Amino acid sequence: MSALHFTLTFLLLTLLLEVNKAKSQSFIGVNYGQKADNLPSPAATAKLLQSTSIQKVRLYGSDTAMIKALANTGIGIVIGTANGDIPALASDPNFAKNWVDTNVVAYYPASKIILINVGNEVIMSGDNNLISQLLPAMQNVKNALDAASLGDKVKVSTVHSMTLLKQSEPPSSGSFDPAYGDMLKGVLAFNNATGSPFAINPYPFFAYRSDPRPETLAFCLFQPNSGRLDGNTKINYMNMFDAQVDAVRSALDAMGFKNVEIVVAETGWPYKGDSDEVGASIENAKAYNGNLIAHLRSMVGTPLMPGKSVDTYLFALYDENLKPGPTSERSFGLYQSADLTMTYDVGLSKSSSQAQTPASPATEKTPATPSAVAPSPEPKKASWCVPKKDVTDAELQASLDYACAHGIDCSPIQPGGSCFEPNTLSAHAAYAMNLYYQSSGRDPSSCDFSQAAMLSSSNPSTNFLKWTSAFYCMNTIAIMVALSLVGVHEKGEYNGIE
């Protein structure tokens, strides 16, 4: 094998390993609610979860049967205490010890319990007595874990409503309601000291429901849109999820807790609703959850937290038919409890090598999600997807965000990545746009990017053949040019370059 062929082989394997590494991260979880009378058996649910790429499950309580069923599966388990248990947990260390012994020690480590949430959305409950006892309850649970030698293995936190933010737009101005400042500082100091996460429940669905414009829907569903500019940072946000999470990041930073990590404890989109519930549909639910999963898998992160994906728990595994309220409250299930089939496919099954193309509203045409990181074999004429010369930085950023959120691996162009240099928006956008096009089987419709890109039959990387070091970073265009010129045969031989 020639030195050039060895280089190309090495680069292709490296690229594929980067993709697999990004997808193997355990940042995708799911909520398991139990306000239903038709749920499958815990054993059936555990088996279903093992057939998916879901690696963490959040329980709202501490269901013994479910914790047992998840034993030896390797699936991380988040459990919770009831809000009603907080006074006893706060006032009686022995109650906290008995709770931990009964719900954690009895099953750990076979059941991989990773986090205990003390209550749910307590600070915004309006119950001042409960609010004042939240932190002491968290401390007593932590002390009980320490006594059982599990303090460094099982974290303790609580879950917060997004209404805890007094301001969230633009994201850089995110701030918490000062009415809860002292209480929140105590909880955050606990999070910071113990390394536990700050858990939030962002729902772009509710943002769209209060602002049902087409452009808001596209912004919420990770679909092509003009974005929303943060005038303070000059960051053009391309989706609501990133904007909401970064608003929380800004609020945490403003309070001096830059090291406290964020976890998305709940987020989702209903697939059905009442006649007056705008946006609740299978198409929109599939688009939101599918595009969110692709966004997480891309490892592009948020503008304020680039290059990593926050742990995100989708809501929910099944519908909860006993929940009160509008139809949407009972219509978030990713799987049907009657037969364990998917309500809609967002690529969570292990048998799917890639997330399925998320559905878009009928008025939009979304390019197909890539199904493999490889071009068509033995192309007759090489072609590339490149940015147009006259596109603006905003259009480049939008194209970069869209490509990275739709199934390709953008970690090499993140800080510290093998292809971060040259660190320019145009180079990074070109990387993502062309990889998306090549990975989509060179479907011309996948090289549109709201008319910011064009197809080119000429080699955009004229210096490629002069590069001989396997450790010399190539941008995406060069990588795909290499694959296009080489042509991979079934027998593993190369042609096209002598």
Side-chain angles (χ1 to χ4, degrees), residues 268-482:
W269 198 285
Y271 66 85
K272 184 170 58 177
D274 296 324
S275 58
D276 61 345
E277 290 192 277
V278 61
S281 69
I282 280 192
E283 292 78 16
N284 289 342
K286 181 176 181 179
Y288 177 74
N289 285 313
N291 288 338
L292 171 60
I293 290 167
H295 182 58
L296 295 171
R297 284 175 172 165
S298 75
M299 297 295 286
V300 69
T302 71
L304 296 185
M305 295 180 289
K308 63 178 181 179
S309 291
V310 297
D311 283 5
T312 299
Y313 293 78
L314 304 173
F315 189 86
L317 187 60
Y318 304 120
D319 290 338
E320 295 178 86
N321 67 336
L322 298 182
K323 269 193 167 183
T327 298
S328 63
E329 285 294 312
R330 297 177 293 280
S331 306
F332 278 86
L334 295 168
Y335 292 86
Q336 293 297 301
S337 55
D339 56 9
L340 303 182
T341 58
M342 293 177 286
T343 305
Y344 47 86
D345 191 357
V346 291
L348 287 172
S349 172
K350 284 182 179 178
S351 62
S352 301
S353 60
Q354 192 89 13
Q356 300 296 313
T357 305
S360 304
T363 55
E364 293 194 33
K365 182 178 180 182
T366 303
T369 302
S371 59
V373 184
S376 302
E378 301 189 36
K380 294 181 179 180
K381 189 174 184 180
S383 61
W384 298 265
C385 181
V386 298
K388 291 181 179 178
K389 293 181 179 179
D390 58 347
V391 295
T392 65
D393 284 352
E395 290 174 308
L396 286 173
Q397 186 66 55
S399 300
L400 171 62
D401 292 342
Y402 183 83
C404 290
H406 284 77
I408 67 168
D409 177 27
C410 288
S411 57
I413 55 173
Q414 298 304 316
S418 57
C419 294
F420 181 63
E421 299 294 344
N423 180 21
T424 65
L425 178 59
S426 58
H428 292 176
Y431 181 108
M433 294 162 78
N434 190 54
L435 183 54
Y436 181 89
Y437 165 69
Q438 301 289 347
S439 302
S440 299
R442 292 181 177 170
D443 180 352
S445 67
S446 66
C447 183
D448 180 59
F449 295 97
S450 299
Q451 300 184 346
M454 59 180 285
L455 291 172
S456 173
S457 59
S458 61
N459 188 338
S461 181
T462 56
N463 292 326
F464 169 68
L465 294 178
K466 297 178 182 178
W467 299 350
T468 58
S469 172
F471 302 100
Y472 219 117
C473 175
M474 299 194 303
N475 63 33
T476 295
I477 293 178
I479 292 175
M480 300 319 300
V481 168

Side-chain angles (χ1 to χ4, degrees), residues 25-42:
Q25 300 300 309
S26 57
F27 41 69
I28 298 176
V30 71
N31 285 270
Y32 176 70
Q34 294 178 285
K35 292 182 179 179
D37 60 8
N38 59 353
L39 295 175
S41 69

Side-chain angles (χ1 to χ4, degrees), residues 111-422:
S111 295
K112 189 181 175 183
I113 299 169
I114 58 175
L115 176 67
I116 299 171
N117 284 319
V118 177
N120 187 49
E121 299 188 352
V122 173
I123 293 181
M124 299 306 294
S125 68
D127 186 332
N128 290 329
N129 182 52
L130 204 62
I131 294 170
S132 66
Q133 296 181 87
L134 175 60
L135 182 56
M138 294 171 65
Q139 290 170 331
N140 279 344
V141 171
K142 176 66 167 64
N143 291 339
L145 287 169
D146 288 342
S149 300
L150 293 177
D152 60 340
K153 299 178 178 67
V154 182
K155 301 298 182 180
V156 178
S157 191
T158 188
V159 179
H160 305 280
S161 164
M162 285 292 288
T163 57
L164 188 60
L165 289 172
K166 182 179 181 180
Q167 185 169 341
S168 60
E169 292 186 29
S172 62
S173 66
S175 61
F176 295 116
D177 189 333
Y180 303 100
D182 291 340
M183 173 61 197
L184 193 54
K185 283 181 180 178
V187 170
L188 286 170
F190 175 89
N191 292 141
N192 189 60
T194 63
S196 65
F198 184 80
I200 57 168
N201 294 335
Y203 277 90
F205 168 69
F206 296 121
Y208 172 63
R209 194 171 65 177
S210 63
D211 179 17
R213 294 176 296 167
E215 57 265 36
T216 302
L217 181 61
F219 187 66
C220 289
L221 299 183
F222 299 84
Q223 292 172 340
N225 65 93
S226 58
R228 296 185 180 181
L229 181 67
D230 186 326
N232 298 324
T233 60
K234 307 305 178 186
I235 293 171
N236 194 37
Y237 280 84
M238 302 309 300
N239 66 79
M240 180 68 77
F241 180 84
D242 282 356
Q244 290 183 326
V245 172
D246 273 1
V248 175
R249 180 74 271 162
S250 295
L252 290 171
D253 292 353
M255 289 190 72
F257 294 98
K258 295 184 178 182
N259 294 325
V260 173
E261 296 288 338
I262 294 171
V263 161
V264 174
E266 280 183 34
T267 190
W269 198 285
Y271 66 85
K272 184 170 58 177
D274 296 324
S275 58
D276 61 345
E277 290 192 277
V278 61
S281 69
I282 280 192
E283 292 78 16
N284 289 342
K286 181 176 181 179
Y288 177 74
N289 285 313
N291 288 338
L292 171 60
I293 290 167
H295 182 58
L296 295 171
R297 284 175 172 165
S298 75
M299 297 295 286
V300 69
T302 71
L304 296 185
M305 295 180 289
K308 63 178 181 179
S309 291
V310 297
D311 283 5
T312 299
Y313 293 78
L314 304 173
F315 189 86
L317 187 60
Y318 304 120
D319 290 338
E320 295 178 86
N321 67 336
L322 298 182
K323 269 193 167 183
T327 298
S328 63
E329 285 294 312
R330 297 177 293 280
S331 306
F332 278 86
L334 295 168
Y335 292 86
Q336 293 297 301
S337 55
D339 56 9
L340 303 182
T341 58
M342 293 177 286
T343 305
Y344 47 86
D345 191 357
V346 291
L348 287 172
S349 172
K350 284 182 179 178
S351 62
S352 301
S353 60
Q354 192 89 13
Q356 300 296 313
T357 305
S360 304
T363 55
E364 293 194 33
K365 182 178 180 182
T366 303
T369 302
S371 59
V373 184
S376 302
E378 301 189 36
K380 294 181 179 180
K381 189 174 184 180
S383 61
W384 298 265
C385 181
V386 298
K388 291 181 179 178
K389 293 181 179 179
D390 58 347
V391 295
T392 65
D393 284 352
E395 290 174 308
L396 286 173
Q397 186 66 55
S399 300
L400 171 62
D401 292 342
Y402 183 83
C404 290
H406 284 77
I408 67 168
D409 177 27
C410 288
S411 57
I413 55 173
Q414 298 304 316
S418 57
C419 294
F420 181 63
E421 299 294 344

